[in-house]
């Protein structure tokens, strides 16, 4: 097979993930891990991407943009895509109302507009979480694509809405919407296997790291051989992948992709645009 695409989805959470996802408001050591991502990890990752002339998409919470404006401006000035990842990095299903969730997403749009001068086209939900209102909000606010759900692995598709899961009946998938989905997977995310926390919700980390990178090689190679026009979305966090020893392994993986004929790196917005052109929605 050929025409394989890799999209690097950089979730630049910085401190926001520790405040809203881990409820660590009074834990400065945890905050410092997010600061490391902004001060150390992100510049290292930008340098690596520049070295290999690789485009990427940075999904940035508004909180990160407003807390660390200089490095976010660096991301934008280096030509990488900047897309939506909430304002607060609060999981959509944890908001008390549709209005509260709407306000958070709308606020994130304005943060990105202040950075790039443009409204974001895509959304990656914090922790890949959806509420019953998220899809409606994305449509109301004019988003063109999402990258949060897992109904496929290497094939973009139109995101389904109107699903139902009755307790006493079969699952109802619903109907395709106009939003394009760029599918993700916890199997292609650096945060769960590499990030150690002392308390819930995660107690990961300290796994054999070569095994995780080998998993990425194996998945990419299988897609390359078996899926025509496959899209491999790899999710990375500067505070995680930006550790020096992991950057060496990431560099080797990037070299591996570039060694394959007809394998390319693209921003997620370009992938969504290409998919819509090749698969226009008829209804």
């Amino acid at each position: 097979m050929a025409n394989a695409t890799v999209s690097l989805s950089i979730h630049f959470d910085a401190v926001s993930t520790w405040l809203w996802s881990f409820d660590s408001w009074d834990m400065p050591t945890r905050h410092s891990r997010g600061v490391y991502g902004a001060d150390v990890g992100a510049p290292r990752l930008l340098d690596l991407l520049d070295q290999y002339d690789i485009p990427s998409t940075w999904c940035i919470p508004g909180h990160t943009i407003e807390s660390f404006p200089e490095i976010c401006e660096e991301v934008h000035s280096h030509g990488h895509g900047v897309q939506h990842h909430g304002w607060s990095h609060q999981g959509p299903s944890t908001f008390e109302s549709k209005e509260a969730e709407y306000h958070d997403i709308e606020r994130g749009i304005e943060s990105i507009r202040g950075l790039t001068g443009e409204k974001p086209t895509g959304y990656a939900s914090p922790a890949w979480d959806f509420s019953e209102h998220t899809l409606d909000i994305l449509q109301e606010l004019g988003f063109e694509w999402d990258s949060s759900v897992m109904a496929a692995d290497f094939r973009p598709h139109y995101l389904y809405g109107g699903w139902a899961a009755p307790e006493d009946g079969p699952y109802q998938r619903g109907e395709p919407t106009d939003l394009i989905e760029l599918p993700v997977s916890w199997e292609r995310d650096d945060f769960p296997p590499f990030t150690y926390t002392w308390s819930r919700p995660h107690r990961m980390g300290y796994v054999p790291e070569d095994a995780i990178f080998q998993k990425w090689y194996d998945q990419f190679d299988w897609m390359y051989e078996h899926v025509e026009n496959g899209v491999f979305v790899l999710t990375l966090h500067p505070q995680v992948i930006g550790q020096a020893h992991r950057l060496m392994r990431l560099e080797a993986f990037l070299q591996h992709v570039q060694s394959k004929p007809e394998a390319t790196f693209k921003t997620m917005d370009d992938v969504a645009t290409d998919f819509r052109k090749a698969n226009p929605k008829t209804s």
Side-chain angles (χ1 to χ4, degrees), residues 84 105 120-125 130 133-149 155-161 173 175-183 268 271-273 275-276 279-281 283:
H84 203 294
I105 295 177
T121 56
Y123 174 78
S125 66
F130 261 36
H133 307 297
T134 305
L135 181 55
D136 289 340
I137 293 172
L138 297 181
Q139 292 176 300
E140 290 168 17
L141 290 173
F143 283 91
E144 298 176 14
W145 57 267
D146 171 73
S147 188
S148 310
V149 303
R155 294 188 183 278
H157 56 89
Y158 285 100
L159 183 60
Y160 275 63
R173 185 176 183 180
E175 297 294 334
T177 68
D178 290 331
L179 265 76
I180 293 167
E181 181 63 33
L182 306 181
M268 300 171 81
V271 171
T273 298
F275 176 83
R276 195 180 297 276
N279 302 273
K281 200 161 182 293
S283 59

Side-chain angles (χ1 to χ4, degrees), residues 12 192 240 242 252 256:
F12 192 12
V240 179
H256 178 72

Side-chain angles (χ1 to χ4, degrees), residues 261-276:
E262 297 187 68
T264 58
F265 290 91
K266 292 184 180 180
T267 67
M268 300 171 81
D269 196 56
D270 284 345
V271 171
T273 298
D274 291 347
F275 176 83
R276 195 180 297 276

Side-chain angles (χ1 to χ4, degrees), residues 68-283:
F68 303 97
E70 293 84 3
I71 186 59
C72 291
E73 177 57 39
E74 283 283 307
V75 170
H76 176 55
S77 66
H78 281 237
H80 299 285
V82 175
Q83 299 294 346
H84 203 294
H85 196 40
W87 187 89
S88 63
H89 204 272
Q90 180 174 342
S93 65
T94 67
F95 286 101
E96 69 272 14
S97 66
K98 178 181 179 179
E99 290 72 22
E101 182 183 353
Y102 188 102
H103 173 72
D104 189 85
I105 295 177
E106 192 173 42
R107 187 177 178 185
I109 290 174
E110 293 311 309
S111 294
I112 292 173
R113 198 194 305 271
L115 173 63
T116 68
E118 298 178 349
K119 180 181 178 182
T121 56
Y123 174 78
S125 66
W128 292 332
D129 177 40
F130 261 36
S131 76
E132 61 181 312
H133 307 297
T134 305
L135 181 55
D136 289 340
I137 293 172
L138 297 181
Q139 292 176 300
E140 290 168 17
L141 290 173
F143 283 91
E144 298 176 14
W145 57 267
D146 171 73
S147 188
S148 310
V149 303
M150 308 178 186
D153 47 13
F154 307 122
R155 294 188 183 278
H157 56 89
Y158 285 100
L159 183 60
Y160 275 63
W163 60 270
E167 292 185 9
D168 60 349
Y171 181 76
Q172 300 169 28
R173 185 176 183 180
E175 297 294 334
T177 68
D178 290 331
L179 265 76
I180 293 167
E181 181 63 33
L182 306 181
V184 295
S185 172
W186 292 113
E187 300 291 335
R188 296 185 298 280
D189 186 320
D190 62 349
F191 202 99
F194 295 151
T195 302
Y196 176 78
T197 61
W198 187 252
S199 60
R200 292 183 179 183
H202 301 295
R203 289 178 178 173
M204 298 292 289
Y206 301 114
V207 300
E209 297 199 355
D210 285 343
I212 302 302
F213 283 91
Q214 186 61 53
K215 183 188 297 186
W216 296 351
Y217 280 94
D218 292 347
Q219 291 181 75
F220 170 76
D221 287 347
W222 190 93
M223 183 193 80
Y224 185 84
E225 294 295 333
H226 295 90
V227 182
E228 185 74 25
N229 299 318
V231 176
F232 183 99
V233 177
L234 180 62
T235 303
L236 304 170
H237 298 74
Q239 62 187 282
V240 179
I241 202 68
Q243 300 282 340
H245 60 292
R246 293 182 190 133
L247 278 176
M248 291 191 301
R249 292 181 172 90
L250 177 62
E251 181 176 8
F253 177 76
L254 300 180
Q255 292 171 338
H256 178 72
V257 173
Q258 289 187 327
S259 74
K260 297 287 188 178
E262 297 187 68
T264 58
F265 290 91
K266 292 184 180 180
T267 67
M268 300 171 81
D269 196 56
D270 284 345
V271 171
T273 298
D274 291 347
F275 176 83
R276 195 180 297 276
K277 288 180 180 177
N279 302 273
K281 200 161 182 293
T282 58
S283 59

